[in-house]
Amino acid sequence: MNNSKLYHYFFNEQSYSPKLQSNLAFGFTVFTILALGIDSVFFTEKYFDARGITNVAAIVYFFLLFFSAEIYLRKLMIVMVFLSYIGELIFCKLLGMYDYRTAFIPLYVPFGHAIVYASGYIFAHAPWSVQHEQPLRKFFAVFFSVLFIAVGLFLNDVFTLLFGLLFFVLMKRKRWQNLYYFIALCVIFIELVGTYFQCWTWVPKTFGLIPASNPPMGAVFFYAGGDVLLVKIVSIWDKRRLKVSQ
């Protein structure tokens, strides 16, 4: 299969299904609990190491969401898988900000990140969120401000205070788009579930200096920052493809 046919196979509009992609986006919460529960320390110790099941489930769910999504979102998801793996190598292996329950980065992680990103993207572009853009923007600003301050003060989470502030600096530059808030909500959900099941654990002091809770809410900054790079890569991809087709 040549590159043109491969591109057409993955990026054609025939399989686009707004209703299905919305259902899969909402279903990501249930899927996350089940998938990470299977990869949990409890499940492993009581039954067996079922990470392979979670790996397969994440890849299947990824492609179900991928083929039901619009073309632009599919490109974001594909790039997100590779970008996420690079991020894991940097933040987990190089900087040691958190550890998985095994020495290796699970295969499901980069696909899971793409699912999380896509779900937030779909929520942000849903008719109900577009219609209530301004009220949601005000609500999110208050919600995340209170969340970051409360976690920072009551849990001595300096990491969240610092990177929560940077999150708002980034939000200001991005004109307070609700997209980043919705992605942040999905990130917080998956972080809470993943750390609850002990699939991964954040270190008590990032870089050996900055106190952090497990998980630190300020981690949403890295997802929002990664989106900036993600969109730029897809933009370059589209421009190069346009030149080739001319």
Side-chain angles (χ1 to χ4, degrees):
M1 185 179 291
N2 58 40
N3 290 337
S4 179
K5 289 183 178 180
L6 189 65
Y7 182 90
H8 179 73
Y9 176 78
F10 283 101
F11 303 105
N12 69 81
E13 298 181 353
Q14 294 180 359
S15 61
Y16 171 49
S17 175
K19 184 176 181 180
L20 179 57
Q21 76 165 11
S22 295
N23 290 337
L24 288 168
F26 280 103
F28 120 89
T29 54
V30 176
F31 171 78
T32 296
I33 294 172
L34 293 175
L36 294 181
I38 291 173
D39 188 46
S40 67
V41 170
F42 171 80
F43 192 95
T44 302
E45 293 179 347
K46 189 172 181 61
Y47 302 103
F48 61 96
D49 189 342
R51 176 168 288 175
I53 296 176
T54 301
N55 288 337
V56 172
I59 294 172
V60 170
Y61 203 91
F62 169 88
F63 279 108
L64 286 173
L65 185 54
F66 176 87
F67 282 112
S68 69
E70 59 181 276
I71 303 303
Y72 181 67
L73 180 54
R74 293 186 199 183
K75 294 178 180 179
L76 290 172
M77 290 178 69
I78 284 289
V79 176
M80 184 61 174
V81 171
F82 295 99
L83 195 62
S84 170
Y85 185 69
I86 294 173
E88 289 295 322
L89 292 176
I90 295 174
F91 297 117
C92 178
K93 294 302 182 182
L94 181 62
L95 299 179
M97 296 169 67
Y98 50 88
D99 296 301
Y100 289 98
R101 67 173 182 82
T102 62
F104 303 100
I105 299 171
L107 179 61
Y108 68 77
V109 169
F111 291 96
H113 284 168
I115 293 170
V116 169
Y117 179 88
S119 298
Y121 181 98
I122 293 167
F123 293 150
H125 291 85
W128 58 269
S129 60
V130 174
Q131 292 170 5
H132 300 88
E133 180 180 1
Q134 291 302 324
L136 281 172
R137 188 175 297 180
K138 293 177 182 178
F139 167 78
F140 283 138
V142 173
F143 172 79
F144 280 100
S145 295
V146 172
L147 177 66
F148 293 153
I149 293 173
V151 170
L153 295 180
F154 291 107
L155 298 181
N156 190 34
D157 190 346
V158 179
F159 180 102
T160 288
L161 289 175
L162 175 61
F163 289 101
L165 177 61
L166 292 178
F167 174 76
F168 279 114
V169 171
L170 179 61
M171 289 300 299
K172 183 179 180 180
R173 295 190 61 179
K174 288 299 177 179
R175 300 180 180 180
W176 310 101
Q177 296 177 48
N178 284 336
L179 168 65
Y180 299 96
Y181 286 130
F182 276 109
I183 292 174
L185 281 179
C186 294
V187 169
I188 288 173
F189 176 78
I190 199 170
E191 283 290 345
L192 289 172
V193 175
T195 52
Y196 174 80
F197 285 127
Q198 297 178 285
C199 298
W200 61 83
T201 304
W202 288 76
V203 298
K205 287 191 176 182
T206 305
F207 313 131
L209 298 171
I210 308 174
S213 58
N214 180 42
M217 298 294 99
V220 298
F221 165 74
F222 296 98
Y223 284 82
D227 175 78
V228 176
L229 180 58
L230 176 63
V231 172
K232 184 65 176 179
I233 293 173
V234 172
S235 176
I236 295 173
W237 179 6
D238 284 339
K239 288 179 181 178
R240 288 186 177 180
R241 180 153 187 86
L242 181 61
K243 287 182 180 181
V244 172
S245 61
Q246 289 177 345

